Amino acid sequence: MKDINLTLAAVGGLILIVGLLSRPIDRSWLSSPLLAFLLGVMLSPYGFALLDPAQWGDPLHLLEETARLTLGISLMGIALRLPARYPLQHWRPLAVLLVIGMPAMCLISSLFSAWTLGLPLVMALLVGASICPTDPVIASSIVTGGVAKDNLPAGFRHLLSAESGANDGLAYPLVLLPVLLMAHPPATAWLEWIVKTWLWEVLGSVLIGALIGWISGRALEWADRKGWLDQPSFLALSLALTILVLGVGKLLGTDSVLAVFAAGIAFDQEVGGQERGEADNVQEAVNLFFTLPVFVLFGLIAPWEKWQALGWGGVLLALLILLLRRLPVVLALRRWLPPVSSRGLSWMMGWFGPIGVSALFYATLASGRTGSDTPWAVVSLVVLASIIAHGVTAAPFAKRYGAKRDGARHSRE
């Protein structure tokens, strides 16, 4: 009972402080995820030893389920934050990033993992697949807030949000392929990957999520016309939809994370005006409550000994991933990405591909299914590097881009 109360007090206090100081934090080199991680480290056995998650059960399974819920909340927030028709009107740049960009990032990350740590090819592919998705949780902290809105164009923010929402779920089959290759003969693994993973777990999740989202949106409009909808139930609807889809998707054996994003997009097509704005606001508020606890938990169970065992190879891998996993790919594809085709925006888009909760989710899932600690040790180290690097640079880089843009505009005038 003491652990529960201490956890509630610590997380509640952190959220309160972040809420009261949201503007200064948004404009500083600190980020909310980094502060939450540091709080977790302070409370952990490596800090003041006030909390020990090992006594609560399997820490990795706890993190996996917490990350899944956090991703669901964040993906619904992204879907509601995007303009209603954005995925339909801008499907071409999204397709380029998902069909070409994401597999390329997976391959680059895998090659670096094999080279720096000497991992077997299949294990390196598993690590690369876990790292490749752009994290929607940290991306939300980069593209929202006053600094981002004042300095970064809407096209950049929308494309990064849409990519992080879609590729988070679409990384699932990339992660499952090496897992299946480790567990089955190649022919069996490839057959199961194509039939079960792609046709049911991926395509099925999109169809199921979109159907639930569409029905929920229609029901919302109908209840509003009937006058049956009061404010509290109205504000809670998007959160309820998130939890519903996560549960149904998991029960049916589909990619429940991708199903949530599909549900959010479909729901967004049916609601509008006040409904859409209210749902967006409550989802962003709830997002704050679920984003910080998962990083506190990450700090509590951070595998310091495993990171130390990786040695300088782990440090080199983290640096290579941050610098070369995404930037060269985006620069090579920028002519097919109209919202970020300019030189400055393409560099921004290439740098801001954070690795966070989605990678933690896939790393814990992969370690659980393979029985190996390697995915968790390697991926979690890269996540820590991303939290620091992207959190520290988000506000300064955005301000720098905004200043250059304003200076160029004034010189033309």
Side-chain angles (χ1 to χ4, degrees):
M1 187 62 68
K2 177 184 176 183
D3 284 357
I4 294 176
N5 292 325
L6 180 57
T7 303
L8 291 175
V11 173
L14 176 64
I15 295 174
L16 180 62
I17 292 172
V18 169
L20 293 173
L21 302 177
S22 57
R23 186 173 295 240
I25 292 175
D26 182 43
R27 298 177 180 275
S28 73
W29 58 271
L30 287 172
S31 66
S32 299
L34 180 57
L35 291 174
F37 174 81
L38 294 175
L39 175 62
V41 174
M42 290 174 58
L43 298 174
S44 75
Y46 295 95
F48 296 113
L50 297 176
L51 293 173
D52 184 6
Q55 300 179 356
W56 306 345
D58 183 357
L60 291 188
H61 181 69
L62 177 61
L63 180 60
E64 179 185 341
E65 292 304 318
T66 304
R68 189 169 72 94
L69 181 58
T70 303
L71 288 173
I73 297 293
S74 183
L75 291 176
M76 183 62 71
I78 288 175
L80 296 177
R81 188 170 62 241
L82 288 171
R85 302 290 177 181
Y86 184 88
L88 303 177
Q89 295 172 346
H90 298 83
W91 65 270
R92 287 184 179 86
L94 271 176
V96 169
L97 287 171
L98 297 174
V99 177
I100 302 176
M102 187 170 65
M105 295 176 205
C106 175
L107 180 60
I108 290 171
S109 302
S110 302
L111 292 175
F112 284 147
S113 300
W115 177 56
T116 57
L117 300 177
L119 298 178
L121 178 59
V122 178
M123 180 60 71
L125 287 172
L126 182 55
V127 170
S130 301
I131 291 172
C132 73
T134 302
D135 185 61
V137 178
I138 301 180
S140 293
S141 67
I142 292 172
V143 299
T144 58
V147 172
K149 293 179 180 178
D150 292 342
N151 294 281
L152 299 175
F156 168 86
R157 292 185 283 112
H158 293 333
L159 183 59
L160 182 58
S161 295
E163 180 206 3
S164 65
N167 75 0
D168 185 66
L170 289 175
Y172 180 78
L174 298 180
V175 173
L176 258 289
L177 178 58
V179 170
L180 292 172
L181 288 172
M182 290 181 185
H184 304 289
T188 304
W190 281 101
L191 180 62
E192 182 172 343
W193 187 65
I194 294 172
V195 175
K196 182 182 177 183
T197 302
W198 273 106
L199 295 183
W200 174 241
E201 295 184 88
V202 174
L203 182 59
S205 70
V206 173
L207 296 177
I208 292 169
L211 179 61
I212 296 176
W214 178 79
I215 292 174
S216 299
R218 299 285 290 183
L220 171 62
E221 292 295 309
W222 177 75
D224 196 29
R225 288 196 303 268
K226 292 287 187 179
W228 294 350
L229 198 66
D230 61 18
Q231 196 68 6
S233 61
F234 174 76
L235 292 176
L237 189 60
S238 61
L239 177 59
L241 176 60
T242 302
I243 298 173
L244 171 65
V245 175
L246 280 176
V248 171
K250 189 72 171 180
L251 288 172
L252 295 177
T254 66
D255 182 359
S256 60
V257 173
L258 182 58
V260 170
F261 189 63
I265 295 297
F267 178 79
D268 205 23
Q269 309 309 307
E270 298 301 320
V271 299
Q274 179 188 2
E275 291 90 348
R276 190 170 184 275
E278 294 288 354
D280 188 4
N281 290 336
V282 70
Q283 198 71 23
E284 287 302 317
V286 173
N287 192 25
L288 176 64
F289 278 89
F290 283 91
T291 297
L292 298 185
V294 73
F295 285 107
V296 173
L297 181 57
F298 177 36
L300 283 170
I301 66 173
W304 298 97
E305 292 98 343
K306 293 182 175 63
W307 291 345
Q308 186 177 7
L310 294 176
W312 288 107
V315 177
L316 178 60
L317 174 63
L319 292 175
L320 290 173
I321 292 294
L322 291 177
L323 295 175
L324 299 177
R325 152 187 163 268
R326 178 177 175 87
L327 185 58
V329 175
V330 173
L331 292 179
L333 298 175
R334 70 173 186 166
R335 61 179 295 185
W336 295 286
L337 304 174
V340 294
S341 59
S342 67
R343 184 179 182 86
L345 280 179
S346 61
W347 279 83
M348 289 282 289
M349 187 72 177
W351 169 246
F352 286 119
I355 306 164
V357 178
S358 55
L360 292 177
F361 170 71
Y362 286 122
T364 53
L365 183 149
S367 290
R369 296 201 179 188
T370 62
S372 171
D373 288 335
T374 300
W376 163 239
V378 177
V379 173
S380 60
L381 178 61
V382 177
V383 169
L384 176 60
S386 179
I387 292 173
I388 297 172
H390 292 112
V392 167
T393 58
F397 281 22
K399 291 177 183 177
R400 183 176 179 83
Y401 174 81
K404 284 188 174 182
R405 179 198 59 194
D406 295 340
R409 183 182 302 163
H410 290 321
S411 64
R412 289 194 301 268
E413 294 175 354

